Amino acid sequence: MLVGEHISLEIDRHTILDDVTLTLKDQEILGIIGPNGAGKSSLLSVFAGLVRPTEGEVSLDDIAFSNWSRQKLAKTIAFVEQQAEPHERIDVRHALEIGRTPHKRLLSPWLPEDEDALQDALLKVNMKGFEKRLLNSLSGGEKQRIHIARALAQKPRILILDEPTNHLDIGCQLEILSLIRKLGLSVLIALHDLNHAAMFCDRIALLQHGRLINSGKPEEVLTKETILTNFHANAEIEMLENGRPHIRYLL
């Protein structure tokens, strides 16, 4: 459904992405992992249509991004950035109204379908009743739920998230990932924690120095050899009853 073919990105003569080919399938959670500087955020920006690759092409439904209008693309793909903090004091309702922007024309009225989308987004992230709260009064986990709700208010088919659990405590991390899992959308997500990738992703793609090293099911990608080579960490892999790997790091 969402396909990037031979994606390369060069910025100031530095290669950020190098010949990456990757496909996000319908209603799949595809995790992007890799050490710091591997190119994860840049790859997400390309797949969200925010950055044009130096070489290669991203297509959606077999139509190249270059043939999609910005408005139509924004109705289909929603992106939650790693640092999605607002630049002003706004309440939760205002933040979610911004998510309806791709569906609105200049000076067009607020319609029942907009209100339905807003309320549905709040319900999906368990934040009903928070509409009048200021964003900067919320906890870290609550803020992240609202950022996801703002993306859901766009009514996208595809959700792209850049390390959505960053700086959250473990309970909030698991709640956010469980919430994302239940949405039933096609999800492209960069994750820092390899065990989270193993728990929540259908497939994993490993980046290193801007290149795609491996992709496949969690148990195919997360091996002790791969972890040692790419993350310089010794680990043992235990296969859980659900068939997913659990990583135990060794000193």
Side-chain angles (χ1 to χ4, degrees):
M1 186 172 63
L2 182 63
V3 180
E5 295 184 289
H6 303 292
I7 300 299
S8 293
L9 179 65
E10 186 176 293
I11 299 177
D12 296 331
R13 298 183 180 181
H14 293 286
T15 299
I16 309 300
L17 298 171
D18 186 4
D19 195 26
V20 176
T21 294
L22 198 62
T23 298
L24 175 66
K25 302 175 184 178
D26 186 35
Q27 296 187 340
E28 172 188 52
I29 298 181
L30 175 57
I32 308 299
I33 63 171
N36 293 336
K40 299 186 296 295
S41 295
S42 296
L43 184 66
L44 295 190
S45 295
V46 170
F47 269 82
L50 301 178
V51 174
R52 190 180 187 91
T54 308
E55 295 181 10
E57 183 68 82
V58 182
S59 61
L60 176 60
D61 297 336
D62 295 323
I63 302 172
F65 271 12
S66 55
N67 293 322
W68 283 74
S69 70
R70 294 300 308 168
Q71 184 180 30
K72 188 175 181 181
L73 201 59
K75 290 179 180 179
T76 309
I77 301 175
F79 184 39
V80 179
E81 299 178 80
Q82 187 175 148
Q83 300 295 334
E85 291 298 323
H87 298 291
E88 57 183 321
R89 288 167 57 89
I90 61 174
D91 61 28
V92 166
R93 182 179 179 86
H94 186 189
L96 266 67
E97 288 175 353
I98 294 172
R100 294 299 297 165
T101 300
H103 298 268
K104 310 298 291 181
R105 295 182 181 275
L106 184 64
L107 302 179
S108 62
W110 187 256
L111 300 174
E113 64 192 56
D114 299 311
E115 188 64 28
D116 289 345
L118 187 150
Q119 295 300 329
D120 182 59
L122 283 171
L123 184 63
K124 284 179 176 176
V125 300
N126 300 318
M127 292 293 284
K128 290 279 285 186
F130 281 72
E131 293 92 322
K132 295 183 180 180
R133 289 279 301 273
L134 292 177
L135 275 182
N136 61 11
S137 74
L138 302 180
S139 69
E142 291 169 341
K143 285 181 183 177
Q144 193 61 283
R145 286 175 181 267
I146 294 304
H147 294 317
I148 294 172
R150 178 168 54 190
L152 294 179
Q154 294 176 221
K155 288 295 182 181
R157 289 162 44 203
I158 298 169
L159 185 61
I160 298 179
L161 307 105
D162 191 0
E163 296 194 14
T165 58
N166 203 20
H167 304 307
L168 300 181
D169 64 54
I170 185 62
C172 287
Q173 292 177 23
L174 295 175
E175 286 177 2
I176 292 293
L177 292 173
S178 295
L179 181 159
I180 292 167
R181 180 85 187 173
K182 294 174 182 176
L183 292 174
L185 299 175
S186 300
V187 177
L188 186 63
I189 180 170
L191 289 169
H192 183 72
D193 190 301
L194 301 185
N195 274 316
H196 287 171
M199 291 170 65
F200 291 96
C201 297
D202 300 307
R203 284 193 302 128
I204 295 173
L206 170 63
L207 291 184
Q208 176 69 282
H209 302 305
R211 295 187 63 85
L212 180 63
I213 302 300
N214 195 4
S215 66
K217 295 180 180 180
E219 62 269 23
E220 296 170 341
V221 176
L222 295 174
T223 66
K224 61 181 183 180
E225 292 81 11
T226 296
I227 293 170
L228 178 60
T229 301
N230 294 279
F231 297 92
H232 307 294
N234 290 305
E236 289 184 350
I237 310 297
E238 176 189 2
M239 295 304 297
L240 303 179
E241 291 183 1
N242 61 9
R244 291 178 177 267
H246 175 75
I247 302 164
R248 184 163 66 89
Y249 297 102
L250 306 175
L251 295 177

